[in-house]
Amino acid sequence: MTQLFLEDIREGQVFGAPRYEVTSENIKDFAGQWDPQAFHLDEAAADGSFFAGLAASGWHTAAITMRLLVLGEFTPVNGIVGAGVEELKWHRPVRPGDVLTVRSEVLEVRPMRSKPGFGIVRMRTTTLDAAGEPVQVFTAPLVVRARAG
Amino acid sequence: MTQLFLEDIREGQVFGAPRYEVTSENIKDFAGQWDPQAFHLDEAAADGSFFAGLAASGWHTAAITMRLLVLGEFTPVNGIVGAGVEELKWHRPVRPGDVLTVRSEVLEVRPMRSKPGFGIVRMRTTTLDAAGEPVQVFTAPLVVRARAG
């Protein structure tokens, strides 16, 4: 695993990640802990709901995305550290049987005035289904340590 | 539990929620599944990290927030359904011993052109520590069913 410093990261770089298979069991397990609503917990209740069938919590999709990001190709030396999310969109609900992966693209690299020796990498992270269609997209400013600093 | 329709929700309304105690065990458990980085998993490694001590994953803070929202006072008839997040900021890392709660304020209520019978409730949800200071803030457009539709 290459430990990336700020100077190693360029606008336009793209980083891949492994895949994750979503099951009805892991949808219900996450929801039971963090988003206990009927349409994430029970097939019969979900059929008559807004989602018309069992759907993963959007926060589950976000958590899967973070796991894939951490296990993926983008490996900053200080870890993946974000101060927030500029915008996050769920394009469609994730369903049992979906196999997800993540693609991250560097939008901008700049030094951080408030924290010398670090910089901000603005990254757009897209979570894709098996057909390559986006299920979630977000942009986040990440804090990355500089080699010179 | 009052089931709220779009017509029951007004700009400026505030909804509370129960509390959640964060422990080093639940920080590590969440991180092991969804954000397996040393500063979320191991006290000794975390001491020398960017976070200078064990810190919850930001996605864990988000998941706790969703749980508290679902268990709280805001109870739309079709459940809490979001299409995304406009902006999410982590004001500080959440630590073992933090006791969190959630306060949600309605910023805007409007009918949904693309989906008759439903409306959008723009809600700002602030996650507060025991001192009442924000640890996370996000704004999200939620889909709520109208009584007349």
Side-chain angles (χ1 to χ4, degrees):
Chain A
M1 188 175 89
T2 310
Q3 301 257 296
L4 299 173
F5 288 88
L6 190 68
E7 294 84 346
D8 303 319
I9 303 168
R10 296 274 178 280
E11 190 186 317
Q13 275 181 321
V14 171
F15 298 92
R19 289 183 297 179
Y20 185 94
E21 184 173 351
V22 179
T23 65
S24 59
E25 288 67 34
N26 60 39
I27 287 176
K28 294 174 193 176
D29 181 58
F30 185 95
Q33 292 180 76
W34 306 113
D35 191 350
Q37 302 195 84
F39 40 63
H40 301 317
L41 288 169
D42 181 88
E43 276 87 354
D47 284 344
S49 79
F50 185 85
F51 291 105
L54 193 72
S57 169
W59 299 104
H60 188 189
T61 305
I64 292 168
T65 299
M66 188 64 198
R67 179 176 175 84
L68 294 177
L69 205 53
V70 169
L71 301 178
E73 295 168 357
F74 180 63
T75 53
V77 64
N78 57 311
I80 300 178
V81 175
V85 171
E86 281 172 34
E87 190 183 31
L88 185 152
K89 281 192 181 170
W90 292 300
H91 288 244
R92 68 159 176 90
V94 165
R95 307 285 188 179
D98 270 323
V99 178
L100 304 180
T101 191
V102 163
R103 181 183 182 279
S104 294
E105 183 179 354
V106 176
L107 302 182
E108 188 187 353
V109 182
R110 57 182 161 80
M112 209 172 163
R113 277 181 214 168
S114 63
K115 201 171 170 68
F118 287 84
I120 294 290
V121 175
R122 277 186 66 234
M123 182 88 98
R124 183 172 53 220
T125 295
T126 305
T127 312
L128 301 158
D129 65 17
E133 295 295 322
V135 298
Q136 177 190 280
V137 181
F138 73 93
T139 300
L142 304 174
V143 179
V144 179
R145 197 199 298 172
R147 188 174 280 117
Chain B
M1 189 174 90
T2 310
Q3 301 257 296
L4 300 173
F5 288 87
L6 189 67
E7 293 84 346
D8 303 320
I9 303 167
R10 296 273 179 279
E11 190 185 318
Q13 275 182 320
V14 171
F15 299 93
R19 289 184 296 179
Y20 185 94
E21 185 173 350
V22 179
T23 65
S24 59
E25 288 66 34
N26 60 37
I27 287 176
K28 294 174 192 176
D29 182 57
F30 186 95
Q33 290 180 77
W34 306 114
D35 191 350
Q37 302 195 83
F39 40 64
H40 302 316
L41 287 169
D42 180 87
E43 276 88 353
D47 284 344
S49 79
F50 185 84
F51 291 106
L54 193 71
S57 170
W59 300 104
H60 188 189
T61 305
I64 291 168
T65 299
M66 188 65 196
R67 178 175 176 85
L68 294 177
L69 204 54
V70 169
L71 301 178
E73 295 169 356
F74 180 63
T75 52
V77 64
N78 57 308
I80 300 178
V81 175
V85 170
E86 282 173 32
E87 190 183 32
L88 185 153
K89 279 191 183 172
W90 292 300
H91 288 243
R92 67 159 178 89
V94 166
R95 306 286 188 179
D98 270 322
V99 178
L100 303 180
T101 189
V102 164
R103 182 182 180 279
S104 294
E105 182 179 355
V106 176
L107 302 182
E108 187 187 355
V109 181
R110 58 182 161 81
M112 209 171 161
R113 277 181 215 170
S114 62
K115 199 168 171 69
F118 288 84
I120 293 290
V121 175
R122 276 185 67 233
M123 184 88 97
R124 182 173 52 220
T125 295
T126 305
T127 311
L128 301 158
D129 65 18
E133 295 295 321
V135 298
Q136 178 190 280
V137 181
F138 73 93
T139 300
L142 304 173
V143 179
V144 178
R145 197 199 296 171
R147 189 175 278 118

